Amino acid sequence: MPAGGWAVASEVSGLRDGSDDARGGGAPGAARPAAPPRAGTGTSNASSGLPPNIVLIGFMGTGKTAVARCLASRLGRRFVDTDAMIEARCGRTIARIFADEGEAAFRGLEAAAVAEAGAMGGAVIATGGGVPLRAQNMRHLRRRGVIVALTASPRAILARVGAAGDRPLLGADPEAAVRRLLAERGAAYRDADLVIDTSGASAEEVADMVLTFMGDRVVRVDLGDRGYDVRIGRAVYPRLDGHLRGAGVAGRLVLLTHPRLDARYGRPLAEALRASGRDVVTVKVPPSETSKSLRVAARVYDALVDAQLDRDATLLALGGGVAGDLGGFVAATFLRGIRWVGLPTTLLAQVDAAIGGKTAVDHPRGKNLIGAVHQPALVVADIDTLASLPRRQFRSGMAEVIKTAVIGAPELFEFLEGNVRDVLARRPGALVSTIERCAAYKARVVASDEREAGGRIVLNYGHTIGHGIEAAAGYRGLTHGEAIAVGMTLEARLAVRLGVCDAGLLERQTALLERAGLPVRLAGFRAARPRGVSAILGAMTHDKKARAGRLRFVLPVSLGRTAVHDDVPPVLLEEVLADA
């Protein structure tokens, strides 16, 4: 996979179809690499049950209509052509509208057609070549759509459009016009989830590429007979019953979530599961960290007993880290253990917390002190749920993403340095790529050290200090990710002061954290500071990572390399904390 995302370069023979974008036939142009895509934002389609639209943009002659018809036929979806919509309403061809009213009038008609098409769900939409030139058009299409840009060489385009008698923009010198327009529109076409060069591909072959991209990404956590899949994609919840059956989940279901998520995702999900013949019981808990307690766990046990659930039941944990930790802990301990499925709805949970089977509730003297390792049967990361995630919570999840990049995925770190803006904009291609890389790294670590006997401790980078900050603040005033971002910064400073790594790594990490909107100091978090350095140090002594009273730190050596140290001088630790 290219570091920049999901671009595909075609290397097979010419686009063949009788549609308007492909008419003229001719020899295909030479294949060339497609530009790395930048994926688009969109609101959640999960609650409506409709899959996202597939929207094809690109220059004339790149095959938009041919590929769209092929995709619509294969998927059983409605085919929509915005140019055809305009012609049907005006009773004239596009060329006639241009001749009678000019390009400006046509672009107004086009914008109205795009807005209508973009409001649909589950359609395959072919658009005119100039559609991406208006930002408002792209906003309408991104709202419910995955954007696929088709490109081709000027030679291939001219071979397909023929004499261009019905292509008013090409004028008297079609080749010069094609080259000029491609140059003018190139940036707009590249602003897509997926870019495919169709110069040497048939419509069927391009459709195959689109369907491969649209499919879920699956990461396997290889733990033998306790292994499971992490499924990452868009509009996965409407297909959840099939994935549950594939994971061997056949009994009654209990959906653990909190009220807001229940209204947005839980109820439609429960209704869809019941329509498939499932018996679903919903249990709601408050969304805050205070729900991770033995008191709230006891309330959930009561609900499960009242529902007369047996050991064949499966708990679905719908939410962020709180729902996953609490739900997994309840599943591990109810009736000595029932199955559970993670349905993470936050970035932090999708890249980290939902994977690995570590479940826990908090104790007043420390975070996650009471828990069990209990692997899920399945994890489903539907990125549509991230559209409703508050901005601060989304940025909080970026701390775990950057942590993963530093400790074990240098290529992800470099990807983020060039694409963090796209990830923060929640563009699907960038999101799926980021989540998949994080999940793959976490899966490898978990498979090699399921119960943190050795290597899995690497995942605690930033957490020794971060958890101390959270506990000292009473889990108020800053998010988990914000605490971990500060923890990573301070632990990297420890590494530099100890000579474990050079200052360049600290500078790059600090710059990336700040670009992600994360703090690198405690300044500004008043709720986290009044109890001071001594309170943070006291909380750190109760951390699970301590051994024989000695704090253990995962310190960076270089990108992708870490070392565990239990020899950090207390005076140095106090100095670094005080500086923050």
Side-chain angles (χ1 to χ4, degrees):
M1 179 190 307
W6 302 94
V8 177
S10 169
E11 297 179 355
V12 282
S13 59
L15 188 94
R16 298 177 294 273
D17 189 274
S19 67
D20 58 350
D21 264 354
R23 61 181 171 269
R32 60 184 176 85
R38 298 208 311 271
T41 59
T43 57
S44 171
N45 296 297
S47 59
S48 68
L50 289 173
N53 297 322
I54 301 175
V55 181
L56 299 177
I57 66 171
F59 196 70
M60 65 182 74
T62 55
K64 300 184 299 292
T65 302
V67 174
R69 288 187 187 280
C70 184
L71 286 168
S73 175
R74 290 195 194 180
L75 296 171
R77 293 191 183 191
R78 173 171 38 174
F79 165 71
V80 177
D81 186 314
T82 56
D83 279 355
M85 290 172 65
I86 297 167
E87 291 181 337
R89 288 176 182 173
C90 295
R92 290 171 290 169
T93 65
I94 301 299
R96 188 74 261 164
I97 296 171
F98 262 80
D100 292 346
E101 302 181 37
E103 182 175 0
F106 169 76
R107 296 303 177 198
L109 296 170
E110 183 176 62
V114 165
E116 181 178 340
M120 300 174 182
V124 181
I125 303 171
T127 64
V131 162
L133 301 179
R134 286 194 177 187
Q136 185 64 29
N137 287 343
M138 295 302 286
R139 284 194 288 271
H140 284 306
L141 294 172
R142 290 193 193 287
R143 189 169 300 150
R144 292 190 177 184
V146 173
I147 311 295
V148 178
L150 304 186
T151 67
S153 67
R155 178 182 177 186
I157 290 170
L158 289 169
R160 293 169 185 166
V161 301
D166 60 347
R167 307 286 184 170
L169 290 179
L170 296 189
D173 188 349
E175 181 173 355
V178 167
R179 295 186 182 279
R180 174 179 56 81
L181 290 169
L182 284 175
E184 292 174 357
R185 300 177 179 183
Y189 292 152
R190 289 191 295 272
D191 189 18
D193 298 329
L194 176 67
V195 180
I196 301 175
D197 188 327
T198 70
S199 299
S202 70
E204 292 77 11
E205 288 160 343
V206 176
D208 286 340
M209 298 177 196
V210 175
L211 291 174
T212 297
F213 171 75
M214 289 289 294
D216 302 338
R217 320 304 297 186
V218 180
V219 173
R220 182 70 179 173
V221 182
D222 190 1
L223 293 169
D225 58 2
R226 289 174 295 101
Y228 53 94
D229 289 339
V230 180
R231 188 169 288 274
I232 306 156
R234 298 191 68 181
V236 189
Y237 284 178
R239 299 177 274 122
L240 183 61
D241 181 61
H243 298 317
L244 291 175
R245 296 185 189 281
V249 175
R252 298 177 68 195
L253 303 175
V254 55
L255 180 64
L256 177 71
T257 189
H258 66 75
R260 182 180 62 82
L261 280 179
D262 183 55
R264 190 175 185 95
Y265 304 115
R267 290 176 194 167
L269 182 57
E271 290 171 4
L273 290 169
R274 291 186 184 112
S276 299
R278 298 281 192 170
D279 182 0
V280 184
V281 176
T282 298
V283 178
K284 289 174 278 189
V285 299
S288 69
E289 182 76 18
T290 57
S291 288
K292 283 178 53 178
S293 67
L294 290 173
R295 177 181 56 83
V296 174
R299 287 174 43 202
V300 179
Y301 294 140
D302 289 342
L304 303 190
V305 172
D306 290 342
Q308 298 182 325
L309 294 177
D310 58 26
R311 295 192 68 187
D312 289 330
T314 298
L315 185 146
L316 310 180
L318 175 67
V322 170
D325 281 351
L326 174 65
F329 177 76
V330 167
T333 50
F334 183 68
L335 300 178
R336 297 196 178 97
I338 63 173
R339 284 174 300 192
W340 73 288
V341 170
L343 303 177
T345 60
T346 67
L347 180 62
L348 188 152
Q350 291 186 1
V351 301
D352 182 74
I355 306 166
K358 289 173 65 174
T359 72
V361 294
D362 298 335
H363 186 276
R365 297 172 69 180
K367 185 180 177 72
N368 297 330
L369 290 186
I370 304 168
V373 176
H374 185 50
Q375 299 295 342
L378 174 70
V379 175
V380 175
D382 190 329
I383 69 167
D384 284 353
T385 62
L386 300 180
S388 62
L389 191 65
R391 183 180 181 186
R392 185 180 181 189
Q393 291 298 325
F394 186 89
R395 290 179 180 270
S396 179
M398 288 299 295
E400 292 291 349
V401 172
I402 295 171
K403 178 205 78 174
T404 298
V406 172
I407 64 176
E411 77 290 345
L412 174 59
F413 193 95
E414 293 169 0
F415 171 80
L416 292 171
E417 286 183 312
N419 297 275
V420 69
R421 182 179 297 180
D422 288 347
V423 179
L424 292 174
R426 311 187 201 193
R427 294 184 166 180
L431 270 183
V432 170
S433 178
T434 297
I435 295 168
E436 181 184 21
R437 295 181 204 209
C438 290
Y441 177 75
K442 179 79 178 278
R444 290 197 300 272
V445 173
V446 170
S448 65
D449 182 20
E450 180 181 5
R451 297 182 176 272
E452 204 170 72
R456 188 165 173 173
I457 193 175
V458 70
L459 299 173
N460 289 319
Y461 174 49
H463 287 59
T464 300
I465 292 178
H467 281 176
I469 292 171
E470 286 186 284
Y475 303 104
R476 295 186 301 272
L478 76 172
T479 68
H480 173 70
E482 289 165 348
I484 298 310
V486 175
M488 289 169 58
T489 304
L490 300 187
E491 291 178 18
R493 287 182 186 171
L494 285 176
V496 173
R497 296 280 294 273
L498 290 170
V500 174
C501 76
D502 62 47
L505 175 58
L506 171 61
E507 292 170 1
R508 287 180 71 187
Q509 176 186 278
T510 300
L512 186 54
L513 287 169
E514 290 179 332
R515 287 180 62 202
L518 289 162
V520 295
R521 297 173 60 85
L522 283 174
F525 293 105
R526 286 175 292 177
R529 289 189 292 132
R531 297 169 65 186
V533 170
S534 60
I536 297 173
L537 287 170
M540 289 168 63
T541 62
H542 296 290
D543 193 275
K544 303 181 301 303
K545 294 174 284 299
R547 289 291 184 273
R550 297 170 69 92
L551 291 172
R552 295 194 299 168
F553 293 88
V554 175
L555 301 182
V557 177
S558 60
L559 279 181
R561 292 182 59 219
T562 59
V564 179
H565 282 257
D566 64 358
D567 58 352
V568 175
V571 173
L572 176 58
L573 178 57
E574 290 183 25
E575 289 177 0
V576 169
L577 288 172
D579 287 344

